Amino acid sequence: MKTRITEMFGIEHPIIQGGMHYVGFAEMAAAVSNAGGLGIITGLTQKTPADLANEIAKCRDMTDKPFGVNLTFLPVVNAPDYPGMVKAIIEGGVKVVETAGNNPVQVLPALHDAGIKVIHKCTSVRHSLKAQAIGCDAVSVDGFECGGHPGEDDIPNFILLPRAADELDIPFVASGGMADGRSLVAALALGAEGMNMGTRFIATKEAPVHEKVKQALVAASELDTRLVMRPLRNTERVLTNVAVERLLEKERALGANITFADIAEEVAGVYPRIMLEGDMEAGAWSCGMVAGLIHDIPTCKELIDRIMAEANAIINKRLPGFANA
């Protein structure tokens, strides 16, 4: 299937793996890329630029297909070594960078000079237009359904995607609620050039997370996510557990007086314990409503092949029947 995204990134299928904390390691990215999608290494999961360089080299050994690196720009006092990470990306021969968080304008010249395409993750049309204006090559439009940070506008993809299509000139992919061939065809119908999947890729054989994490996604329904940190205007969609419900009770009790310190126990530094050790009650971890559409744990190739087969069947068999009716 050819779209503007497949041509821009040199991939076979218009499917991108999101850059997920403590999930986007080399083995995950390589598996997705080998299956015809665009795998993504999560830059900030690597502690130093040297670690990132090693992870890029490891991925290069595992695939000869294009893959990318996610760089999330965080509003923190002690920022990661972003210049060093950009240098590692360029020297590693990576050709696609997914940026997220704050405005990535400071890294665009260096990346573009190296021939790297930049896709920026946005949760609104206005932010997507800003990404286009500063020179991003594409955007990933995240609807309210998405795991992680959906922004503060609460606009679902049935509205957000066609609005993006109305306004943008650069290509965009749909993110949030994406799981199968139906998701892909719907995204294309609404104006996207492909889809970005995060939560769905966690429940795959190659995802380097604890088996309990994968089983939690299979067991979850679309009703099992919660929005935390709304009072701090840093909303995150996570899978419910004891720690998440405790966090929400703190938010209700403290109201406008709540600070990050009040909930640090539930959100700070919990990812290694959950993703690597399988401590499912340790704290809050990003999960989309798409958990309700996850019923198995296939390989990345099985998942992508199934998505494309479903999408082609819908496009070539089901939809023409409506047109001819």
Side-chain angles (χ1 to χ4, degrees), residues 138-152:
V139 292
S140 177
V141 177
D142 277 20
F144 184 55
E145 307 92 330
C146 72
H149 298 281
E152 307 301 326

Side-chain angles (χ1 to χ4, degrees), residues 6-42:
T6 62
E7 293 177 351
M8 177 179 289
F9 297 153
I11 56 179
E12 183 180 358
H13 304 307
I15 298 172
I16 299 173
Q17 165 236 320
M20 300 163 284
H21 202 37
Y22 278 89
V23 182
F25 293 98
E27 52 264 56
M28 179 86 255
V32 173
S33 291
N34 283 332
L38 182 71
I40 301 285
I41 293 171
T42 308

Side-chain angles (χ1 to χ4, degrees), residues 63-91:
T63 184
D64 59 358
K65 304 289 181 64
F67 64 89
V69 172
N70 169 279
L71 276 183
T72 297
F73 295 93
L74 302 172
V76 294
V77 176
N78 298 313
D81 183 2
Y82 288 117
M85 291 191 166
V86 169
K87 185 171 183 285
I89 288 167
I90 293 171
E91 292 180 351

Side-chain angles (χ1 to χ4, degrees), residues 298-310:
T299 66
C300 289
K301 179 171 172 45
E302 288 169 344
L303 177 60
I304 290 178
D305 285 351
R306 184 169 71 197
I307 288 171
M308 297 312 301
E310 289 174 353

Side-chain angles (χ1 to χ4, degrees), residues 225-277:
T225 68
R226 302 288 185 268
L227 297 173
V228 299
M229 298 191 287
R230 298 227 89 175
L232 301 176
R233 291 192 63 79
N234 188 30
T235 300
E236 183 175 4
R237 185 179 298 282
V238 301
L239 190 68
T240 187
N241 59 26
V242 171
V244 167
E245 295 302 328
R246 184 172 66 240
L247 186 163
L248 290 171
E249 181 55 39
K250 290 180 181 179
E251 291 184 350
R252 285 189 289 269
L254 295 172
N257 295 321
I258 196 165
T259 67
F260 182 79
D262 296 315
I263 59 171
E265 177 186 356
E266 287 80 22
V267 297
V270 300
Y271 266 78
R273 292 168 57 194
I274 298 165
M275 294 297 179
L276 304 183
E277 300 171 21

